[in-house]
Amino acid sequence: MLNGTWGGTMCLTEPHAGSDVGAAKSTARRNGDGTYNIKGTKIFISGGDHDMAENVIHLVLARIDGAAPGTKGLSLFIVPKLRIGKDGSSGASNDVSVGSIEHKMGINGSATCVLNFGENDGCLGELVGTVEHVGMSQMFKMMNGARIAVGIQGVALASAAYYNAVDYAKDRKQGSHFTKWKDPTAARAAIIEHPDVRRMLLDIKAHVEGIRALIIKLAHHLDKARQLAGKDDEAATYHKGQVELLTPLVKSYGSDQSFRLCSQAIQVYGGAGYIQDYPVEQYTRDSKIFSIYEGTNHIQAMDLVGRKLGQAGGAHFQQFMGDVGAFVEANREHAVYGEAVKILASAQEALMSSAMTVFGWSQDGGKFPLIPLSANRFLNMMSEVAVGWLLLDAALIAEKAKAELSADHPDRAFYDGKKYSALFYARNVLPNVEQAARLIALEDTSPMEITDAAFASV
């Protein structure tokens, strides 16, 4: 598999069990030789079958006969497309077949399919490891990394969309300069000169740079946790806790914003962006899946508010808030960024207020439905605080670096870009955190109060 001779898949989802993985009905029956007979159907399997590799190795979640219901009863199995001989060669079919090819909105270069295991009762699998019923914990060794990777995918496509949109905006001439809009004889201006186009481009730029900074922050914590393990366990625990806390933010905010930003890049292009001659329409289609796979973004939000906020008695969240607070106190009087830092401080206070509100709901059974109703909003608030903080931190670093450059140095433009990304985000995005906190405090339960019949009326 490492050298590409064999391919590989991860088979979790079933037609009736998507996010509800514990409802999986695929089965495994013990054989006397240590193998298992696998039977079931999986869907959305990327690279499920193809002729680009001599064999495909499937990792399949299935329930051993007699195992407990739910996720606790699932085990993980190695199931090859072709049976493997003792000498490592690929042999006869292992009764794994393609039921159909799925026709998707995007990422069409990565074909997915329905896979049927054991239709003829001839599919053999081997247990991963030596212990049964630990398939979910084994799978999550991959899943947490995959969720971070999805955030990276998101910022990668948004970044590509941004660079393409900037190039197009510099080249495309449409209308006159806004100072001469009443003059029909005025020269046509590149659309990058129009205020709304500049606003859209800076919005994309700020978010791309901020989400990238958030991912790098998480990676830094991960590196430090590994580096300090066994040497300074207290510090390693802090860094590991921040990785846990930031993972749902990277996955969810990175993917939600990717789709929005790619769509906004289409808007920069205008009608040209909607046709396939330019790449941004593909980026938009491709990026939509990011908020759905590797755990939908609502799952990420519930993971954050239901598990991550309370980890270690709430210490990880408190440490995150402490890091933001220390930055605020050190820079609230900065000559250039002081006002923006004060906006960050207000957003931080609003986030803390909402965290206490959510905690209160968790202690009141009658208000428990408010948690899933507000979880996505809370995750978005925390993401915006984190990104706003990191953009301002980058801007302060850039300010110092720029001061050491000559007036005509080409790097000054790069550092100026950091300045305006931070200021735009602070002024246009961070105030949303306070508004979101007010919405959370309203405790709106109308989605739960509306009847099913009322949803059908238009």
Side-chain angles (χ1 to χ4, degrees):
M1 293 179 75
L2 284 173
N3 67 22
T5 304
W6 294 347
T9 74
M10 189 72 199
C11 300
L12 287 72
T13 306
E14 300 184 8
H16 53 280
S19 298
D20 185 13
V21 178
K25 294 182 179 179
S26 293
T27 61
R29 188 182 72 248
R30 297 183 186 90
N31 296 320
D33 60 358
T35 63
Y36 296 75
N37 269 80
I38 308 297
K39 196 175 188 68
T41 297
K42 300 289 184 177
I43 63 173
F44 306 148
I45 308 305
S46 300
D49 194 12
H50 51 82
D51 57 8
M52 294 182 289
E54 73 173 36
N55 205 347
V56 181
I57 311 302
H58 307 288
L59 288 176
V60 181
L61 277 179
R63 196 180 314 278
I64 297 172
D65 289 347
T71 57
K72 293 182 178 179
L74 293 174
S75 299
L76 191 62
F77 297 90
I78 303 167
V79 182
K81 168 189 170 181
L82 304 175
R83 293 187 183 179
I84 301 168
K86 292 182 179 180
D87 61 354
S89 62
S90 299
S93 169
N94 194 30
D95 196 11
V96 180
S97 61
V98 175
S100 64
I101 302 295
E102 290 147 346
H103 303 284
K104 300 178 296 184
M105 171 182 170
I107 57 170
N108 293 311
S110 173
T112 65
C113 65
V114 175
L115 281 183
N116 295 318
F117 296 87
E119 284 188 304
N120 301 305
D121 297 320
C123 181
L124 298 179
E126 298 179 47
L127 186 70
V128 173
T130 59
V131 180
E132 297 178 340
H133 319 313
V134 293
M136 286 298 288
S137 62
Q138 291 172 328
M139 181 270 295
F140 263 97
K141 293 181 184 297
M142 174 212 72
M143 184 62 75
N144 285 328
R147 288 174 173 177
I148 296 168
V150 170
I152 296 171
Q153 279 186 302
V155 79
L157 278 192
S159 180
Y162 170 69
Y163 287 125
N164 277 278
V166 169
D167 283 349
Y168 183 83
K170 289 179 177 178
D171 183 65
R172 168 69 166 161
K173 288 182 170 56
Q174 178 79 34
S176 58
H177 192 274
F178 67 92
T179 60
K180 300 177 181 179
W181 67 277
K182 288 186 176 181
D183 181 2
T185 66
R188 302 297 88 181
I191 63 172
I192 198 169
E193 297 181 29
H194 299 327
D196 190 56
V197 171
R198 297 176 76 84
R199 176 195 61 80
M200 288 189 288
L201 289 174
L202 187 51
D203 183 29
I204 303 172
K205 173 182 169 64
H207 280 84
V208 166
E209 291 180 2
I211 295 166
R212 184 184 293 125
L214 180 62
I215 293 168
I216 292 170
K217 188 71 172 179
L218 184 152
H220 171 75
H221 282 304
L222 184 59
D223 286 348
K224 296 294 287 186
R226 290 171 173 168
Q227 178 190 31
L228 295 170
K231 300 174 184 176
D232 185 341
D233 288 338
E234 183 178 349
T237 298
Y238 155 70
H239 288 292
K240 185 177 180 181
Q242 295 306 294
V243 172
E244 292 280 341
L245 193 66
L246 297 181
T247 295
L249 274 61
V250 164
K251 196 279 182 184
S252 186
Y253 193 68
S255 58
D256 280 339
Q257 290 300 316
S258 179
F259 181 64
R260 185 185 75 83
L261 298 172
C262 289
S263 176
Q264 187 147 286
I266 291 179
Q267 196 70 19
V268 171
Y269 276 80
Y274 195 68
I275 62 175
Q276 294 180 359
D277 298 57
Y278 297 95
V280 288
E281 65 84 27
Q282 180 189 336
Y283 297 158
T284 306
R285 288 185 291 105
D286 288 355
S287 63
K288 183 58 215 147
I289 190 62
F290 301 160
S291 63
I292 299 170
Y293 67 11
E294 311 302 356
T296 66
N297 283 358
H298 182 63
I299 289 175
Q300 309 305 312
M302 288 302 293
D303 178 48
L304 176 66
V305 302
R307 194 166 70 91
K308 299 296 177 61
L309 290 186
Q311 272 187 336
H316 301 329
F317 179 68
Q318 292 168 15
Q319 288 166 336
F320 167 81
M321 296 296 278
D323 290 344
V324 178
F327 174 84
V328 167
E329 290 308 310
N331 298 288
R332 64 166 59 247
E333 302 303 328
H334 192 277
V336 178
Y337 299 101
E339 292 305 310
V341 171
K342 290 171 186 174
I343 297 173
L344 173 62
S346 297
Q348 181 195 15
E349 292 172 8
L351 178 63
M352 179 58 79
S353 173
S354 293
M356 296 307 296
T357 298
V358 171
F359 177 75
W361 294 341
S362 71
Q363 306 303 303
D364 184 343
K367 292 187 174 181
F368 182 80
L370 288 164
I371 296 177
L373 284 173
S374 300
N376 292 55
R377 178 171 284 142
F378 184 87
L379 183 148
N380 199 62
M381 293 167 65
M382 187 170 168
S383 299
E384 288 174 344
V385 168
V387 168
W389 161 43
L390 295 172
L391 282 172
L392 283 167
D393 187 36
L396 285 165
I397 294 169
E399 195 75 16
K400 292 178 181 177
K402 188 173 71 171
E404 300 175 1
L405 299 178
S406 62
D408 59 349
H409 198 287
D411 286 353
R412 293 184 72 88
F414 172 80
Y415 292 128
D416 280 339
K418 297 298 181 186
K419 172 182 179 179
Y420 290 106
S421 288
L423 291 178
F424 179 90
Y425 197 93
R427 294 166 178 170
N428 294 276
V429 179
L430 283 179
N432 295 337
V433 178
E434 293 181 79
Q435 173 62 8
R438 287 190 284 271
L439 294 176
I440 285 178
L442 287 175
E443 298 189 345
D444 175 42
T445 56
S446 56
M448 306 307 296
E449 295 165 12
I450 184 174
T451 64
D452 292 356
F455 275 115
S457 61
V458 292

